[in-house]
Amino acid sequence: MKTKIIPFILCCISAAICFGGCTQYQELVGADKIEALREDAAAYDSARYFITNVETDTLEQAFTFMYDTDDSQIYLCEGIEGGEYYAEYSNGRELYREENGVGAVISSDDETFAIYSREIPHPYSTGQLFFYVNGYVSNAEETVDGDGNTLYIYTYDTDKINKALGYALTEFATSYAFDENGDFVYFRQHNSSDATDENGNAYSESYTYEITVEEANGISEIENPIVIGGSVFDEQGE
């Protein structure tokens, strides 16, 4: 499947798969709430995820899913990348994609074609977006954010991650916020890494994004916004 998604989220999903069960379990503050959050998210019948660039306060992606009566998964992934709108929609049988202003039906013969179901769900709908690998956490702390939410901050061992995945991370941390009733509010991930430009000059780049969830188990219909051969997205992305 070739759904355009924020690159580092893909890395996180890969990391969760690669790291799981590889190290000894640690007793971490807030771990019970985070593990319960991921378990709950994996069992959602429907939900809408919003992924926001914290540094620019820009919504970069939205992912909505639900299950049909036959347990096939219907989903819509929309976002902005490089100033361009993209979308991917599946009704559980057919796959539609819009890139560079052009919508198309993806043939089942295409190597990027994929259909999901309750048995084999889209990775975005399984709780993996809330990155958590217990054995790779080097420090865990409980604090309070500016709105009074309880905040659990996990700092990861970048040496372990780099060794496992071949990255050049210099920082990697996640935070999970819960309100006074213990309900999930938001998840954030921050990462920094070393990079080299086309001239061979070294520099540091960083990215922080936030994930929020709405309408968990409350969605009964997802419309297809993709127009075959054209775009329904205006210049403002609205």
Side-chain angles (χ1 to χ4, degrees):
M1 177 188 160
K2 192 184 177 184
T3 304
K4 280 193 174 182
I5 60 178
I6 298 171
F8 207 77
I9 293 179
L10 265 183
C11 296
C12 288
I13 293 173
S14 299
I17 296 173
C18 294
F19 295 166
C22 296
T23 57
Q24 185 174 358
Y25 185 85
Q26 306 178 85
E27 294 296 334
L28 304 173
V29 62
D32 55 342
K33 290 185 178 181
I34 294 161
E35 290 165 6
L37 166 66
R38 285 164 55 90
E39 290 177 5
D40 288 346
Y44 287 160
D45 288 324
S46 64
R48 180 170 288 116
Y49 289 85
F50 295 96
I51 303 170
T52 300
N53 184 324
V54 174
E55 296 168 1
T56 63
D57 193 26
T58 302
L59 177 64
E60 293 189 343
Q61 191 171 67
F63 177 80
T64 306
F65 79 94
M66 60 172 282
Y67 292 101
D68 209 341
T69 54
D70 61 357
D71 281 345
S72 60
Q73 191 176 59
I74 301 170
Y75 72 84
L76 171 64
C77 181
E78 298 180 284
I80 298 292
E81 184 174 321
E84 294 291 331
Y85 170 79
Y86 63 85
E88 183 167 288
Y89 173 86
S90 172
N91 60 16
R93 301 172 301 281
E94 301 164 307
L95 182 65
Y96 300 79
R97 189 174 296 143
E98 180 176 329
E99 297 178 282
N100 302 317
V102 179
V105 179
I106 307 303
S107 168
S108 60
D109 295 329
D110 191 293
E111 63 179 8
T112 68
F113 180 87
I115 293 297
Y116 297 96
S117 65
R118 194 179 294 274
E119 183 177 356
I120 304 176
H122 189 292
Y124 267 32
S125 61
T126 63
Q128 290 187 42
L129 287 178
F130 305 125
F131 183 81
Y132 168 73
V133 183
N134 180 283
Y136 279 65
V137 176
S138 59
N139 183 68
E141 63 177 301
E142 177 180 339
T143 184
V144 178
D145 71 8
D147 295 319
N149 298 307
T150 299
L151 196 65
Y152 299 103
I153 302 174
Y154 286 5
T155 301
Y156 282 83
D157 186 326
T158 55
D159 288 339
K160 282 187 177 182
I161 296 177
N162 292 340
K163 182 178 180 180
L165 298 178
Y167 295 131
L169 292 170
T170 54
E171 295 179 321
F172 189 96
T174 59
S175 56
Y176 316 78
F178 298 86
D179 65 20
E180 59 183 5
N181 298 316
D183 295 326
F184 172 71
V185 181
Y186 63 82
F187 164 88
R188 287 188 180 184
Q189 178 177 300
H190 169 78
N191 56 272
S192 298
S193 61
D194 293 328
T196 304
D197 64 21
E198 58 185 10
N199 297 317
N201 300 313
Y203 67 98
S204 179
E205 58 183 3
S206 66
Y207 182 59
T208 303
Y209 67 82
E210 177 180 283
I211 296 177
T212 55
V213 185
E214 293 184 6
E215 299 181 83
N217 298 322
I219 297 170
S220 58
E221 182 180 10
I222 303 175
E223 295 185 359
N224 181 6
I226 298 174
V227 176
I228 305 305
S231 173
V232 297
F233 197 79
D234 63 26
E235 294 180 357
Q236 287 73 40
E238 298 178 349

